[in-house]
Amino acid sequence: MDWTTGLALGVAGEGPHHDHETAAAEAAELARLIFESSAFAQAEQPERAVRDGRAGQADGPVEDLIVTARGGYHLIRFVETAFDSSVFLYLWLDRAESNLAVARFRLRDLTAALVLS
């Protein structure tokens, strides 16, 4: 999904209330607010970025956003790219049939496998 437009760049499976377009627009608004908020920015020491092999990379302040609702989980994973990306993955899970921890790890792995240019 793209948070600047609120459009789903692709969809699969069922969405909350079976409405992908509304879910995409609402997730994009939330993602934009969180990603651009200075309240979530963490000042990182430059030596730590060098040690972790991330010197010079433009990391956003947030990796994941998890919203737990009574009926489900909403996961947003920001996609890091070499350019100024506004792309994120959004996953909705039925709470009764899902495992939040496993879903988070799989979403992380899927995001790492994406190549955007």
Side-chain angles (χ1 to χ4, degrees):
M1 299 194 177
D2 180 80
W3 76 56
T4 58
T5 63
L7 295 176
L9 303 175
V11 297
E14 293 184 28
H17 309 293
H18 307 287
D19 186 358
H20 291 290
E21 290 78 21
T22 301
E26 291 173 352
E29 186 175 340
L30 182 58
R32 182 175 46 255
L33 287 171
I34 294 298
F35 194 83
E36 294 176 349
S37 174
S38 62
F40 295 99
Q42 178 178 335
E44 185 172 338
Q45 301 299 325
E47 61 272 5
R48 181 174 176 195
V50 170
R51 184 185 70 233
D52 294 344
R54 296 182 299 111
Q57 292 182 2
D59 294 338
V62 178
E63 288 180 322
D64 296 317
L65 176 63
I66 301 171
V67 177
T68 58
R70 297 203 187 278
Y73 301 115
H74 303 264
L75 281 76
I76 292 176
R77 177 76 179 189
F78 295 96
V79 178
E80 294 180 17
T81 62
F83 55 92
D84 187 20
S85 177
S86 60
V87 176
F88 67 96
L89 297 180
Y90 168 70
L91 177 64
W92 174 79
L93 301 165
D94 184 288
R95 192 172 190 151
E97 300 179 16
S98 61
N99 182 318
L100 181 58
V102 171
R104 184 169 178 254
F105 285 122
R106 289 194 177 169
L107 193 60
R108 179 199 62 197
D109 294 343
L110 178 65
T111 305
L114 287 176
V115 176
L116 297 176
S117 58

